[in-house]
């Protein structure tokens, strides 16, 4: 019977392909969805231009990727993980507990996080402090006091801001973009209040919960991980603002515009130079124990760190990655290709 | 005395109630059809662009300086393409302009030329006119997806770049064709090169595993429960559980697959083997319920006649009851498989949401599936992936329609009425 042959041949195929441990000839990469577009671009190029197989790149989020990465050494664990933030001490410890002791850190460039609205409305210029006031759950008042966020209109915070309702579409808490936004924009704005700055020294937990908590009363809308969706919603609602990565702003420059933050517009050069305040570094981490065991890791690192890829005019810049300075790249390439161990 | 001849007012109101109901029904069907038309229409409208490609012809110099006739594969094909573009548009002299110029063709152009040269050794040493795939920005510009009238600063393409492509169009060096590569390529980060084949093969392998596991297990379970199992409290509990299992959210099966199949049994991550097993957990209850219903629909007289002629219960079931129930069982199976084909959530947990270029060759190699491909493309920043997303949805819908048609045909063919 047809079904029988089909199933039998499937089993035969499976057993023919069964292989002993660590004979994997394909690099496995997991991690951040922000680094995913860059990692996949390099992977595809690498697969085309070398005799190695195209690496498999999974999009699991930064935290999820590091968890898989730190699960141990061996065929089943990934060789490389992407992260849109730096690895934490606790994660290095987790890795070490599972026998993953030697890790190579590779910083690949920068990504800006933008606050954008539809081109039908005017471009906004906002300070980090005002942005924090608009989005925090509790806002700091006089010394030591906090009140639940009373603002419903932008111009209640600062008369220079537009007289429209505060409505910001942004990523949910699982997203690395949200983590970075909270850390850079929210905390950056929070710190501008003097007594809060002092609070950091006296009561770190209170400081964190004040500065890192986004309001939940409907002014901040969790719009899901799909940045394209946020862009489409902004086009439909000219009064709303959205938070997403710079590459989406670049691709949709005809429909949405980035707001100036602290007087600086989210533009390629300004992010690259570090002037734009809400920008973060992107990384990937390599498991040293797998180099030499899984074919092609060294060549993959060489491809990633070539000027053709991560250089100022490399193909990753075309995909929206904001490159590091020449000195940083030179130093980075040396450290990565020399497989220097991570130092926290 | 009641008058039976003249119609009562009651009858009139009953008749109008019936008429009203018919109109409600038509209204309901109209509304659902309208939704369907809007949905399918917008997908077809958005996705149709993905089935055509734009190619540009460039005259390349394959002279002895560029390509060594003895070993043509060693030539620097990317450089040849860049030189050809520079020769075509000599006004681009600044570095930034040249970069834009190189972006006219897909970054696969070097490989395209290599394939061309190796396939046409006669062209070596001549000036050959070769077709290259245009890059996605130009492709969607020519398709009219992006507006060329907005201010230059707000466009991805500058006036200069639009001028180049317009000159190529005017000279007859641009052609549009059917996008065969969409069906022969795997995934790519370049929208103009991205194809559906690896996802399609991945889905097929996953469904094959799912079918091979859930079909025999499901049918055996259904036959035993329906024909042989004693009716007691224990079999009642099993029945309730099977019905409950059919309503469990699919992500739960994904978590189960992660902890059992991957972590405990150490099966390969991202493989169709694991994907198929997880999905078969999901389709099993559907198959069992459908199979039991169709076994129950076989008239008891058939069973009794077989037993009366001296057949054993197993013979009665397998020779007489099961063949009659088969069309219904197959329909249920195909509906269950179609459900599995459209599932993404459990595949997230077992690593099938991945960028996979190579077409999987076996059920142990990393693979992705059609709905996952849709999910990944919908998330990509490049504008041109929008139409690819819709095109992938069209392919998925076509696969579903094919499977459902197959179910209808099988039922028509084998069904017996009593």
């Amino acid at each position: 019977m047809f079904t029988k042959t089909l199933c039998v041949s499937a089993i035969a195929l499976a057993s023919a392909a069964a292989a002993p441990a660590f004979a994997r000839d394909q690099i496995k990469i997991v991690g951040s969805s922000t680094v995913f577009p860059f990692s996949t671009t390099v992977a595809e190029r690498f697969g085309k231009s070398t005799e190695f197989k195209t690496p498999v790149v999974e999009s699991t989020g930064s935290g999820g990727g590091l968890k898989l990465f730190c699960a141990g050494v061996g065929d089943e664990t990934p060789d490389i993980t992407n992260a849109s933030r730096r690895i934490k001490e606790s994660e290095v410890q987790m890795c070490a507990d599972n026998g993953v002791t030697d890790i190579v850190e590779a910083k690949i460039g920068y990504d800006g996080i933008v606050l954008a609205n539809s081109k039908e409305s005017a471009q906004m210029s906002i300070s980090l402090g005002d942005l924090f006031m608009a989005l925090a759950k509790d806002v700091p008042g006089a010394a030591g006091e906090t009140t639940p966020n009373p603002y419903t209109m932008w111009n209640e915070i600062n008369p220079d801001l537009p007289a429209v309702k505060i409505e910001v579409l942004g990523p949910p808490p699982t997203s690395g973009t949200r983590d970075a936004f909270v850390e850079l924009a929210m905390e950056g704005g929070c710190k501008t209040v003097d007594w809060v700055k002092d609070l950091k020294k006296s009561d770190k937990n209170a400081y964190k919960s004040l500065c890192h908590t986004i309001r939940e009363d409907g002014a901040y809308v969790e719009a899901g991980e799909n940045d394209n969706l946020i862009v489409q919603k902004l086009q439909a609602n000219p009064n709303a603002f959205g938070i997403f990565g710079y590459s989406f702003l670049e691709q949709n420059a005809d429909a949405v515009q980035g707001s100036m933050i602290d007087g600086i517009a989210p533009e390629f050069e300004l992010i690259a130079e570090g002037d734009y305040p809400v920008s973060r570094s992107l990384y990937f981490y390599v498991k040293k124990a797998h180099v030499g065991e899984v074919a092609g890791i060294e060549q993959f690192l060489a491809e990633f760190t070539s000027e053709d890829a991560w250089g100022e005019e490399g193909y990753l810049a075309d995909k929206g990655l904001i490159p590091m300075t020449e000195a940083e790249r030179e130093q980075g390439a040396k450290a990565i290709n020399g497989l220097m161990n991570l130092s926290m | 005395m009641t008058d039976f001849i003249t119609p009562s007012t009651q009858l009139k109101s009953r008749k109008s109630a019936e008429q009203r109901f018919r109109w409600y029904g038509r209204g309901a069907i109209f509304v659902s059809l309208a939704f369907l038309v809007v949905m399918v229409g917008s997908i077809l409208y958005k996705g149709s662009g993905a089935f055509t490609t734009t190619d540009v012809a460039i005259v390349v110099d394959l002279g002895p300086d560029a390509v060594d006739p003895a070993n043509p594969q060693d030539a620097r094909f990317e450089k040849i393409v860049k030189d050809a573009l520079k020769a075509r548009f000599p006004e681009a002299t600044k570095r930034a302009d040249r970069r834009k110029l190189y972006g006219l063709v897909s970054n696969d152009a070097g490989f395209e030329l290599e394939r061309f040269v190796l396939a046409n050794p006669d062209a070596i040493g001549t000036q050959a006119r070769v077709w290259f795939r245009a890059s996605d920005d130009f492709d969607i510009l020519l398709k009219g997806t992006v507006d060329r009238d907005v201010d230059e600063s707000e466009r991805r393409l500058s006036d200069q770049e639009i001028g180049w492509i317009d000159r190529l169009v005017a000279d007859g060096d641009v052609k549009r064709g059917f996008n065969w590569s969409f069906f022969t390529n795997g995934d790519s980060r370049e929208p103009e090169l991205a194809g559906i084949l690896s996802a399609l093969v991945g889905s097929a392998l996953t469904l094959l595993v799912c079918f091979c596991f859930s079909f025999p297990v499901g049918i055996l379970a259904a036959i035993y429960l329906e024909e042989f199992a004693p009716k007691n409290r224990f079999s009642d509990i099993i029945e309730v559980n099977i019905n409950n299992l059919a309503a469990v959210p699919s992500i739960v099966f994904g978590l189960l697959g992660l902890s059992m199949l991957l972590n405990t049994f150490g099966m390969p991550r991202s493989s169709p083997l694991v994907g198929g097993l997880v999905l078969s957990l999901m389709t099993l209850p559907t198959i069992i319920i459908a199979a039991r219903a169709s076994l129950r629909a076989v008239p008891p007289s058939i069973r009794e006649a077989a037993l009366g002629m001296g057949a054993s219960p197993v013979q009665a079931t397998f020779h007489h009851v099961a063949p009659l129930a088969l069309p219904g069982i197959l329909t249920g199976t195909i509906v269950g498989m179609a459900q599995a084909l459209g599932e993404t959530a459990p595949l997230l947990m077992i690593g099938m949401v991945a960028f996979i270029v190579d077409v999987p060759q076996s059920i142990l190699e990393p693979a992705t599936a059609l709905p996952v491909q849709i999910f990944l493309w919908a998330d990509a920043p490049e504008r041109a992936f929008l139409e690819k997303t819709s095109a992938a949805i069209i392919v998925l819908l076509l696969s579903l329609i094919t499977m459902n048609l197959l179910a209808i045909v099988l039922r028509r063919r084998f069904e017996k009425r009593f």
Side-chain angles (χ1 to χ4, degrees):
Chain A
M1 203 173 134
F2 173 66
T3 323
K4 221 184 204 167
T5 16
L6 208 65
C7 292
V8 168
S9 57
I11 293 163
L13 259 176
S15 44
F22 244 126
R24 180 147 60 80
D25 56 352
Q26 193 168 26
I27 302 174
K28 275 196 171 183
I29 305 174
V30 294
S32 162
S33 53
T34 313
V35 187
F36 183 79
F38 310 127
S39 196
T40 46
T41 308
V42 178
E44 188 180 347
R45 281 250 160 177
F46 172 76
K48 268 189 197 153
S49 57
T50 64
E51 74 273 28
F52 300 105
K53 277 191 178 175
T54 309
V56 172
V57 189
E58 249 186 81
S59 164
T60 60
S62 304
L66 278 160
K67 226 176 174 177
L68 288 167
F69 180 79
C70 290
V73 174
D75 221 8
E76 284 312 307
T77 57
D79 311 311
I80 295 175
T81 183
N82 299 319
S84 57
R85 56 168 173 78
R86 207 165 176 228
I87 190 169
K88 292 179 194 159
E89 298 241 7
S90 59
E91 286 162 340
V92 175
Q93 190 56 45
M94 178 170 75
C95 268
D97 291 346
N98 293 322
V100 185
T101 44
D102 292 340
I103 303 170
V104 181
E105 178 180 64
K107 183 172 158 189
I108 58 168
Y110 303 99
D111 177 38
I113 298 174
V114 302
L115 179 75
N117 65 345
S118 158
K119 282 232 144 151
E120 285 168 37
S121 309
Q123 190 185 23
M124 185 160 76
S125 175
I126 191 170
S127 71
L128 273 185
D130 290 346
L131 185 59
F132 169 73
M133 291 297 186
L135 294 178
K137 189 174 182 199
D138 294 311
V139 296
E145 279 169 32
T146 59
T147 46
N149 197 332
Y151 303 114
T152 53
M153 308 276 282
W154 289 100
N155 63 349
E156 288 169 10
I157 304 166
N158 183 340
D160 296 338
L161 295 174
V164 291
K165 216 176 104 204
I166 300 176
E167 192 182 352
V168 178
L169 306 163
T174 46
S175 150
T177 309
R178 161 92 166 239
D179 287 347
F181 179 79
V182 164
E183 220 157 273
L184 297 162
M186 297 287 287
E187 191 175 332
C190 190
K191 270 193 297 201
T192 57
V193 182
D194 285 334
W195 70 263
V196 179
K197 211 172 171 184
D198 298 332
L199 185 69
K200 188 177 180 181
K201 288 167 207 142
S202 56
D203 187 351
K204 216 169 172 185
N205 283 336
Y207 169 78
K208 259 200 153 168
S209 79
L210 176 64
C211 293
H212 283 196
T213 315
I214 286 187
R215 63 197 296 183
E216 290 156 354
D217 56 358
Y220 180 88
V221 186
E222 283 177 8
E225 295 256 17
N226 188 331
D227 291 349
N228 277 328
L229 214 63
I230 298 183
V231 172
Q232 281 174 20
K233 284 180 180 162
L234 293 184
Q235 281 172 281
N237 179 0
N239 285 331
F241 286 81
I243 296 169
F244 43 84
Y246 171 75
S247 42
F248 286 84
L249 178 68
E250 199 201 10
Q251 286 283 338
N252 295 286
D254 57 336
V256 291
Q257 59 193 351
S259 306
M260 307 230 280
I261 291 181
D262 282 345
I264 295 161
E267 280 165 16
F268 192 86
E269 289 79 16
L270 295 173
I271 302 173
E273 254 135 58
D275 293 338
Y276 183 71
V278 200
S279 78
R280 56 175 161 174
S281 313
L282 304 177
Y283 300 87
F284 68 84
Y285 294 91
V286 188
K287 206 178 282 178
K288 224 166 146 180
H290 285 197
V291 180
E293 298 284 346
V294 179
I297 294 184
E298 276 162 316
Q299 289 81 349
F300 179 77
L301 295 182
E303 171 73 39
F304 215 126
T305 54
S306 68
E307 280 296 301
D308 278 348
W310 74 354
E312 249 148 69
E313 295 187 345
Y315 55 80
L316 289 180
D318 292 342
K319 290 278 166 200
L321 179 76
I322 293 159
M324 299 184 285
T325 61
E326 212 175 326
E328 271 183 299
R329 288 202 303 273
E330 206 172 300
Q331 211 183 355
K334 228 184 259 167
I336 297 163
N337 290 317
L339 298 174
M340 285 238 289
N341 264 348
L342 163 79
S343 59
M344 290 302 283
Chain B
M1 213 186 112
T2 322
D3 179 8
F4 288 107
I5 308 298
T6 51
S8 70
T9 50
Q10 230 182 343
L11 184 63
K12 211 173 158 196
S13 85
R14 265 168 57 192
K15 269 194 172 158
S16 60
E18 177 149 352
Q19 281 301 318
R20 268 204 309 280
F21 177 77
R22 285 180 186 212
W23 280 110
Y24 293 153
R26 285 182 196 129
I29 287 173
F30 177 77
V31 168
S32 23
L33 271 183
F35 274 121
L36 189 72
V37 166
V38 168
M39 189 191 83
V40 174
S42 82
I43 289 170
L44 285 178
Y45 174 72
K46 277 191 203 147
S48 56
F51 294 108
T52 58
T53 52
T54 306
D55 289 294
V56 294
I58 310 282
V59 177
V60 291
D61 176 18
L62 300 175
D65 295 341
V67 184
D68 177 5
N71 349 278
Q73 68 277 8
D74 291 342
R76 296 180 58 203
F77 292 103
E78 206 149 328
K79 187 172 173 296
I80 300 176
V81 176
K82 285 182 177 173
D83 287 343
L85 282 166
K86 271 189 278 189
R88 182 77 171 78
F89 298 104
E91 71 271 24
T93 48
K94 275 186 288 177
R95 216 174 133 71
D97 290 346
R98 288 219 173 130
R99 271 181 57 75
K100 284 189 201 158
L101 183 61
Y102 302 153
L104 191 68
V105 291
S106 150
N107 71 19
D108 203 34
F111 300 103
E112 275 183 275
L113 183 61
E114 184 174 354
R115 283 196 293 271
F116 172 81
V117 168
L118 296 181
N120 304 287
D122 303 346
I124 297 171
T126 63
Q127 303 275 326
R129 186 163 175 266
V130 183
W131 289 99
F132 294 101
R133 183 63 49 86
S135 76
D136 54 329
D137 284 330
F138 292 96
D139 184 38
I140 56 176
L141 177 87
L142 292 179
K143 281 173 187 161
T145 317
V146 286
D147 190 2
R148 57 164 78 198
D149 296 328
V150 293
D151 194 59
E152 188 179 0
S153 65
E154 298 167 7
R155 271 189 259 121
R156 292 266 302 159
L157 295 175
S158 64
D159 286 344
Q160 190 186 23
E161 289 172 287
I162 291 182
W164 288 333
I165 194 79
D166 285 346
R167 254 167 66 194
L168 283 172
V169 173
D171 295 349
D173 285 337
V174 172
K175 75 169 178 194
R176 301 280 294 278
F178 186 75
N179 191 357
W180 289 109
S181 63
F182 185 68
F183 298 98
T184 55
N185 281 6
D187 195 6
S188 168
R189 284 299 308 150
E190 309 300 328
E192 69 271 18
L193 303 175
I196 196 86
L197 185 66
S198 56
L200 210 55
V201 173
S203 264
L205 288 174
T206 310
L207 281 189
L208 178 66
V209 173
C210 177
F211 179 78
C212 289
F213 182 75
S214 58
F215 188 66
V217 173
I219 288 190
L220 285 181
I223 290 181
Y224 180 76
L225 283 175
E226 198 56 41
E227 303 287 331
F228 299 100
K231 297 273 174 284
N232 56 23
R233 190 170 239 158
F234 185 65
S235 59
D236 283 349
I237 292 177
I238 289 182
E239 177 155 8
V240 169
N241 275 311
I242 288 173
N243 289 333
N244 273 339
L245 217 54
V248 169
S250 53
I251 187 95
V252 176
F253 294 119
L255 285 168
L256 187 75
L258 176 68
S259 65
M260 286 292 293
L261 300 175
L262 291 184
N263 294 346
T264 312
F265 296 142
M267 287 184 180
R269 202 177 155 80
S270 323
S271 66
L273 175 65
V274 178
L277 288 179
V278 165
L279 290 179
S280 63
L281 290 178
M282 218 187 73
T283 42
L284 254 183
T286 318
I287 293 180
I288 295 178
I289 291 170
R292 290 190 68 179
S294 48
L295 284 170
R296 215 173 296 144
V298 176
S301 55
I302 304 265
R303 211 169 280 128
E304 281 153 16
L307 291 173
M309 294 299 285
S312 71
V314 170
Q315 284 174 329
T317 306
F318 282 93
H319 293 174
H320 302 281
V321 180
L324 287 172
L326 201 62
I329 297 176
L330 282 179
T331 312
T333 309
I334 291 172
V335 169
M337 302 298 276
Q339 246 172 20
L341 176 64
E343 199 59 63
T344 348
L347 302 183
L348 262 171
M349 308 306 304
I350 53 163
M352 286 184 85
V353 180
F355 175 73
I356 288 160
V357 176
D358 302 332
V359 177
Q361 306 292 325
S362 85
I363 55 171
L364 292 176
E365 274 178 42
T368 185
L370 274 176
V372 172
Q373 191 67 72
I374 293 168
F375 174 77
L376 287 174
W377 282 348
D379 220 16
E382 288 84 2
R383 191 64 91 73
F385 270 121
L386 205 68
E387 58 181 32
K388 296 280 167 186
T389 310
S390 298
I393 295 175
I394 294 173
V395 172
L396 179 66
L397 284 180
L398 284 179
S399 323
L400 288 175
I401 291 173
T402 317
M403 289 179 76
N404 283 327
L405 275 180
L406 191 69
I408 293 171
V409 168
L410 283 177
R411 201 168 49 209
R412 283 277 160 79
R413 213 74 196 259
F414 296 114
E415 199 168 40
K416 281 209 175 86
R417 299 212 170 269
F418 299 102

